[in-house]
Amino acid sequence: MRLAATDKSIMAPAALRVRAVPGTPWLGLVFALVGTLAALALAFDMVFRLHLSLDDGVSRVANAAYVIFSRDPHLAAIGFIWPPLPSLVDLVILAFTPLFPPLLSAGFAANVGSALAFGGTILTMDRTLRRFHVLGVWRFVWLSAFVANPLLLFYGLNGMSESLLLFCLALAVDALVNYLQTGHYSPLGLTGLWLAATFLVGYEAVAIGAGVAVGIALQHVAKRRSREQLDASVIYAMLPLVYIGILWMVANWIIMGNPLFFAESKYGNATQIASGGYYGGQTYLVAGIHSVTGSLFFVGAHFLLAPIWIALALWAWLSRRMLIARVLTFIPLSVFLMQFVMTWAGDTAGWARFFFYVVPGAFWLAGALANQHRRRWIYGLLGILLLFSSVGTAYVETQTWVGHGDRGFMLSIWDQKRVYSNAEYAQIAAYLNTLPLPNGPILSDTFNSFDIVLHSKPMSRMAVTSDLNFESLLAAPWGRVSYMLVPAPRGTSAQNKIDRKYPSLYAHGASWATLVKRWPGWRLYRVSPQVPA
């Protein structure tokens, strides 16, 4: 019996054929190595000379450390609020802590992870550009513009999750471009797998997945393929993302008792944003709340992170036969649309890193457009414009209306000045390390104290939030805990479990708690071994 197929592109032999990527990978490897080493060098300078570290990156290292170094080591200690992949990467890097202890104590494992991801992104971008026939001297120019982009380099060195997110997204886009060029379905499956990996780094992957689905639908409509093929292709590409999302909610449900724990937790972004702690100095963000015009202005201003993207997107949509370029426009647009809705609803912190997708998006768009014409002067012109666009990124990031969350750190690295130092956390930990613990560990909610916990020697001296008996110790600490480290209940710190359980403890103490030491924003109480009357 013979099987018929109405579309040769879905027949097995066609699906198995691999389209060779033009050029050789050696230049990309050199740029990846240079980019990784540059990011590591700048990260070393930032952490150990300027004493700057970003809490988002250090907290991911702390989540990884709880898995292996806490009083109660277990995999679930990695946490269920933020996606787990950054901490899983840090967990591997922490294996080298005996060789270089600051990987743990200074949270430098996060910087190493982001630098390695930056190198992987460079290598992947090089492959995608070669698919677009960016070759010869212009390949050198394009890669130089990418590596030297200050925003991408900053994310490559700062230890936050954006570098790893971009690496996974770049792999997804590379597979998507392969599919769009060849029509073979194997790369489409890889697109879905890398989108699922992107979800494990950042929840923006949901919006990106929706954008990719729209792009695939556009491609099928343009090629006049059947509805059955359209449905099958979208399901094939989206299934891994949907599956991993459901799996994450099931894990939240089984372990934390709420499938939406990651979204509704007191420690999540929604609660922190509701406290108003992220709105300081954010005039344009505040003006966008419940204002369509204000939201459009705030979100639209972030396109200036890569002003060339706007011109390239218009070129793609106003010209004929630009299908691949048009599909690629949906990736940044989907995230910007999500941020528009969240800005209007007052559910976003408005940080610049939520909008950085237009920067790599400009390279993908430029490659797709240049490939359509295959003229050397177009490759050259776009390469030069991408270099100038990187300069524009640097300028925009230093402005107060864009660049929130990044501006101070980037200026500090450029000017070699400190924005603030986390040295006080090491000083607190040094004092705690000298204390005898006659009745048990020091109780601390790591929502605020993760920096202090990382400096504890050993970490098992601290009873931390991920410990299975933390709630029990918090409810009845007498005779089971030697000390409580209490943060000032201000701003987002008010969500700390100790402050919520004992709201007057920080200010007034208690009959069973004696003030031992105070630091700015912190107080240490000795816990009585006797149960209060």
Side-chain angles (χ1 to χ4, degrees):
M1 181 178 179
R2 299 181 62 185
L3 297 177
T6 58
D7 188 338
K8 294 182 179 180
S9 67
I10 63 173
M11 296 175 66
L16 292 175
R17 286 200 298 269
V18 177
R19 188 179 196 179
V21 181
T24 60
W26 298 113
L27 185 62
L29 285 168
V30 170
F31 269 92
L33 179 61
V34 170
T36 301
L37 293 177
L40 280 173
L42 289 170
F44 194 90
D45 178 76
M46 181 183 79
V47 173
F48 299 109
R49 194 173 70 82
L50 300 180
H51 298 285
L52 297 174
S53 57
L54 278 72
D55 285 348
D56 277 15
V58 177
S59 66
R60 302 304 191 272
V61 176
N63 288 342
Y66 306 147
V67 174
I68 49 179
F69 296 123
S70 68
R71 291 172 57 252
D72 188 9
H74 57 287
L75 184 59
I78 208 165
F80 288 89
I81 298 174
W82 312 118
L85 190 54
S87 291
L88 289 172
V89 172
D90 293 340
L91 187 61
V92 175
I93 298 172
L94 285 178
F96 298 92
T97 298
L99 300 177
F100 189 58
L103 288 172
L104 174 65
S105 59
F108 194 65
N111 303 90
V112 174
S114 64
L116 292 174
F118 183 50
T121 302
I122 296 168
L123 195 59
T124 306
M125 179 61 76
D126 172 65
R127 185 170 62 190
T128 306
L129 294 180
R130 285 189 289 123
R131 292 190 192 279
F132 291 135
H133 291 85
V134 182
L135 303 170
V137 66
W138 296 121
R139 179 182 169 200
F140 182 90
V141 173
W142 286 48
L143 288 176
S144 297
F146 187 82
V147 175
N149 186 279
L151 190 60
L152 300 181
L153 181 58
F154 176 65
Y155 291 144
L157 67 93
N158 66 15
M160 294 198 302
S161 59
E162 275 63 36
S163 185
L164 182 58
L165 188 150
L166 179 56
F167 179 35
C168 294
L169 178 59
L171 287 164
V173 170
D174 183 68
L176 178 63
V177 169
N178 189 5
Y179 161 73
L180 293 172
Q181 288 182 334
T182 64
H184 301 165
Y185 283 79
S186 296
L188 189 60
L190 286 176
T191 301
L193 291 174
W194 286 118
L195 284 175
T198 305
F199 176 86
L200 292 176
V201 184
Y203 298 127
E204 300 93 328
V206 175
I208 295 171
V212 170
V214 171
I216 294 172
L218 174 67
Q219 182 235 15
H220 278 65
V221 170
K223 292 182 176 294
R224 299 183 179 181
R225 291 179 176 171
S226 68
R227 174 65 182 271
E228 291 77 12
Q229 286 179 305
L230 189 158
D231 292 344
S233 298
V234 171
I235 292 172
Y236 184 43
M238 295 299 109
L239 190 59
L241 177 60
V242 173
Y243 175 79
I244 206 70
I246 293 174
L247 191 64
W248 183 238
M249 288 192 288
V250 169
N252 274 257
W253 187 17
I254 292 173
I255 297 175
M256 305 307 298
N258 180 359
L260 297 178
F261 176 81
F262 63 94
E264 298 177 351
S265 168
K266 291 289 186 181
Y267 298 149
N269 263 348
T271 301
Q272 296 178 47
I273 291 168
S275 72
Y278 292 153
Y279 289 150
Q282 290 258 59
T283 305
Y284 297 103
L285 172 61
V286 174
I289 297 175
H290 298 149
S291 169
V292 172
T293 304
S295 296
L296 282 173
F297 178 82
F298 175 75
V299 173
H302 288 82
F303 279 109
L304 295 178
L305 288 171
I308 189 178
W309 187 91
I310 302 172
L312 294 174
L314 289 173
W315 182 5
W317 283 97
L318 295 177
S319 302
R320 299 178 60 187
R321 298 189 302 275
M322 296 294 181
L323 179 59
I324 294 178
R326 291 175 182 177
V327 171
L328 294 176
T329 61
F330 288 111
I331 293 173
L333 285 175
S334 62
V335 180
F336 274 62
L337 178 60
M338 180 187 74
Q339 285 299 320
F340 167 77
V341 173
M342 295 178 71
T343 300
W344 182 89
D347 290 334
T348 182
W351 291 319
R353 64 178 184 262
F354 296 159
F355 302 93
F356 83 104
Y357 302 90
V358 290
V359 178
F363 286 82
W364 294 322
L365 262 184
L369 292 168
N371 186 55
Q372 188 65 34
H373 295 280
R374 299 276 182 93
R375 295 178 181 176
R376 291 183 60 83
W377 70 268
I378 293 181
Y379 284 104
L381 176 62
L382 290 177
I384 294 170
L385 289 176
L386 287 169
L387 279 171
F388 279 106
S389 185
S390 294
V391 176
T393 302
Y395 172 76
V396 171
E397 271 287 290
T398 62
Q399 305 307 303
T400 56
W401 43 274
V402 171
H404 183 71
D406 298 337
R407 178 175 177 270
F409 287 101
M410 293 182 73
L411 289 175
S412 177
I413 295 171
W414 181 262
D415 297 332
Q416 295 292 284
K417 295 179 181 178
R418 298 184 182 186
V419 176
Y420 65 82
S421 172
N422 288 339
E424 68 270 17
Y425 297 127
Q427 294 169 3
I428 294 173
Y431 177 82
L432 298 180
N433 289 338
T434 65
L435 296 174
L437 304 178
N439 300 312
I442 302 168
L443 186 72
S444 179
D445 187 341
T446 51
F447 176 58
N448 306 99
S449 64
F450 55 86
D451 267 306
I452 298 171
V453 172
L454 288 178
H455 285 89
S456 299
K457 298 178 181 179
M459 187 182 292
S460 57
R461 289 173 56 87
M462 307 289 292
V464 297
T465 320
S466 60
D467 291 348
L468 295 180
N469 67 342
F470 180 85
E471 298 289 349
S472 172
L473 294 176
L474 180 63
W478 314 286
R480 305 167 67 199
V481 168
S482 296
Y483 298 91
M484 276 190 178
L485 183 62
V486 187
R490 296 190 294 264
T492 57
S493 296
Q495 302 303 322
N496 187 288
K497 284 189 175 183
I498 296 177
D499 286 320
R500 283 189 279 136
K501 178 69 175 178
Y502 306 106
S504 63
L505 180 60
Y506 178 85
H508 306 294
S511 61
W512 48 268
T514 304
L515 181 63
V516 175
K517 185 81 172 175
R518 67 176 68 197
W519 300 271
W522 294 92
R523 292 183 181 179
L524 180 70
Y525 286 92
R526 182 185 296 112
V527 178
S528 170
Q530 304 299 322
V531 179

